[in-house]
Amino acid sequence: MWVHVETMAVSLSEDTSTGQTIDNDRLKRDILELAEIGRNEEDRGLYRMAFTEADMEAKQWLLDRMKLSGIKGRLDGAANVIGRIGPSDPNLPSILIGSHTDTVPRAGMLDGALGVLCGLEVLRILKTREEELTVPVELISFTDEEGRFGGMLGSEAFCGLISPETLYQKDLDGIELRSEMEARGLNAFDALNARRTPGSVRAYYELHIEQGPVLDEAGESVGIVEAITGLFKWLVRFRGEANHAGTTPMHMRHDAFMGLADFAHEIPRILEENGSERSRATIGKAQILPGAPNTVPGEVEFSLDVRDTDPAILDELADAFRKALSAIARRRDLMLELEMQSKIEPVACDPDLVANLEKKAGELDLLWRRMPSGAAHDAQIVSHLAPVAMLFVPSRDGQSHSPSEWTDWEDIFAGARLLLESVRSIACEKSTP
Ligand SMILES: [Zn+2]
């Protein structure tokens, strides 16, 4: 991994390019104001899960904010908030900046929201010299990135990756997406019309908190993402035989839990032999059945979440895990069932956009590094439609999905500045190739 350490200290407020720069105070005000929508006063967490009242309020807030700066905004069929500036020709491919304003329950104020608000600030700055834009610039806040209804509805709809079946998906409480959208006055089937044509987006930028400890520990302001991790999630079941814990001799048991225990022990070896230093494997949920202290477990069901940024390694890991599970089932005389629950392909960020970000980070004298993204993001979905780039700002102590999520203001401003300068350099190009 590369670490760039700049020796020259240059104030961030110094403008090294033409044109206006990020209004730090305005950005700060926006962040704090949006953080009041959906806040629970007792636990200080945010509750803006997709299509809740607070989520819809945040969308309206963003539309109002854009209107204040003369930016035309609208909701598309999937309730994505979209604003657009620059040349009015609708056929010109745009630069798209986005993220999401929905949250998990009891969330912090930066996951998703920061990328949208930095994008809003970039559009406001570029709007002041709109006549210089040769490429339209769009802002998007995607619906349901956090997957209340299982997927990433907004970005998937935007890329034409949903079907009518998607609209019948249910959340954990059994509420159907279609009826929840209708309750908000939206026609769910309009989501199928949110699809954008390939070629209509020239580049997608997403700024996001890292959600991990790397930048914070290194004291760096910005991470330039080179690849976003892919993953597969399995539901694994070992079936043995439930029996009396006292009367069944040890050598005559078909103990399903022992299968899980054997497997858990093999994970480090499999990662070492078949994975990379970026590989991760997690058993996050397990259930022993029938679940009585005096009964030999007849069945065990557990999740397996495996991640890497290289598709070939991910395939190799899937093979190795499958083989290990079958071998354990044979050895312990258990039945094995494997259910693939989801699979997301890893995505490489666009090399030209990455190079441009690196160049601009150098010009701004930022402390930065190249890094992978271990979490999934809308950028992964948008890569089906357009080249993507992501930049990270540090998460203090690596905290995320909790009210303690935080990034120092100076790092937020640095990230926003880098986003602005990178987008500006493409949006103001004199001749588009
Ligand atoms: Zn996010």
Side-chain angles (χ1 to χ4, degrees):
M1 200 155 289
W2 309 357
V3 183
H4 290 248
V5 179
E6 301 294 338
T7 46
M8 248 171 37
V10 173
S11 153
L12 275 180
S13 57
E14 189 178 319
D15 196 352
T16 55
S17 64
T18 54
Q20 208 185 331
T21 190
I22 299 293
D23 182 336
N24 294 346
D25 292 337
R26 181 168 61 182
L27 177 57
K28 190 172 172 177
R29 269 199 310 277
D30 279 350
I31 292 169
L32 295 175
E33 204 174 304
L34 181 56
E36 291 305 313
I37 301 180
R39 178 182 292 286
N40 178 309
E41 288 308 328
E42 253 159 59
D43 64 16
R44 306 300 293 160
L46 294 188
Y47 290 77
R48 283 201 309 257
M49 293 76 76
F51 297 115
T52 55
E53 216 165 284
D55 179 43
M56 299 311 289
E57 196 186 322
K59 287 174 190 291
Q60 188 56 52
W61 179 89
L62 181 59
L63 285 168
D64 293 344
R65 264 288 176 286
M66 288 196 288
K67 201 171 168 192
L68 271 180
S69 304
I71 300 167
K72 238 191 254 151
R74 65 187 172 90
L75 284 188
D76 73 3
N80 295 317
V81 180
I82 304 180
R84 185 174 173 118
I85 60 168
S88 54
D89 179 354
N91 297 317
L92 274 181
S94 63
I95 298 171
L96 181 68
I97 309 171
S99 200
H100 59 98
T101 53
D102 69 304
T103 70
V104 294
R106 197 166 180 270
M109 60 168 90
L110 298 177
D111 180 354
L114 185 63
V116 171
L117 296 177
C118 288
L120 170 65
E121 179 59 18
V122 168
L123 259 74
R124 282 190 298 222
I125 301 289
L126 295 177
K127 174 86 182 157
T128 58
R129 291 166 77 164
E130 201 173 11
E131 66 285 352
E132 289 173 13
L133 298 176
T134 53
V135 179
V137 181
E138 290 185 281
L139 172 69
I140 189 159
S141 175
F142 285 116
T143 296
D144 198 12
E145 191 273 346
E146 298 291 2
R148 175 181 170 194
F149 292 95
M152 294 191 191
L153 176 72
S155 47
E156 285 172 358
F158 190 81
C159 297
L161 299 174
I162 63 163
S163 68
E165 205 188 337
T166 311
L167 308 173
Y168 293 93
Q169 279 183 342
K170 291 184 174 143
D171 72 0
L172 291 175
D173 298 321
I175 299 172
E176 201 175 70
L177 170 59
R178 191 184 51 106
S179 58
E180 189 69 339
M181 284 182 78
E182 267 152 30
R184 301 290 161 211
L186 302 162
N187 181 345
F189 287 90
D190 286 349
L192 296 163
N193 303 331
R195 160 181 213 160
R196 285 280 284 263
T197 53
S200 66
V201 177
R202 182 171 157 175
Y204 173 73
Y205 281 89
E206 184 166 354
L207 181 152
H208 206 280
I209 54 169
E210 180 198 335
Q211 300 179 283
V214 176
L215 292 172
D216 187 45
E217 241 174 64
E220 290 155 353
S221 294
V222 179
I224 297 176
V225 177
E226 49 190 354
I228 310 168
T229 191
L231 63 93
F232 59 82
K233 257 185 229 171
W234 289 350
L235 185 67
V236 186
R237 211 172 285 121
F238 278 130
R239 281 189 211 279
E241 198 178 1
N243 229 325
H244 196 286
T247 60
T248 319
M250 296 308 282
H251 72 281
M252 292 177 72
R253 297 181 176 201
H254 304 288
D255 185 331
F257 174 74
M258 294 309 284
L260 164 57
D262 286 357
F263 177 67
H265 269 286
E266 291 206 36
I267 289 178
R269 173 190 65 79
I270 292 171
L271 291 186
E272 207 164 289
E273 288 175 7
N274 305 89
S276 72
E277 57 175 12
R278 291 177 176 180
S279 302
R280 308 276 185 271
T282 308
I283 297 173
K285 195 176 168 193
Q287 198 184 13
I288 302 172
L289 292 168
N294 54 359
T295 303
V296 177
E299 189 178 325
V300 64
E301 191 182 87
F302 60 96
S303 62
L304 179 67
D305 175 305
V306 180
R307 301 176 186 230
D308 198 275
T309 50
D310 182 332
I313 289 178
L314 218 45
D315 285 347
E316 208 171 301
L317 285 171
D319 274 351
F321 280 121
R322 208 177 286 118
K323 276 183 196 145
L325 287 164
S326 323
I328 291 165
R330 265 197 312 278
R331 194 164 66 231
R332 293 216 172 250
D333 204 6
L334 303 169
M335 229 174 71
L336 170 66
E337 286 170 29
L338 247 180
E339 210 178 287
M340 167 76 82
Q341 292 205 303
S342 63
K343 185 170 191 214
I344 303 178
E345 290 294 336
V347 163
C349 289
D350 182 74
D352 292 340
L353 297 179
V354 169
N356 183 255
L357 280 168
E358 290 177 350
K359 181 168 163 257
K360 293 294 163 192
E363 287 170 14
L364 292 169
D365 283 309
L366 302 178
L367 290 176
W368 64 277
R369 74 163 63 204
R370 264 183 191 235
M371 61 188 302
S373 166
H377 295 289
D378 285 311
Q380 221 151 350
I381 307 295
V382 179
S383 72
H384 287 94
L385 193 82
V388 301
M390 282 200 82
L391 43 161
F392 281 163
V393 291
S395 293
R396 194 181 292 167
D397 300 325
Q399 294 280 327
S400 169
H401 282 191
S402 108
S404 54
E405 186 176 274
W406 189 239
T407 303
D408 287 338
W409 289 114
E410 285 310 315
D411 293 328
I412 289 178
F413 302 149
R417 187 81 202 280
L418 177 56
L419 180 67
L420 169 66
E421 295 311 334
S422 302
V423 169
R424 174 148 58 194
S425 68
I426 305 179
C428 296
E429 270 172 10
K430 286 288 175 280
S431 60
T432 46

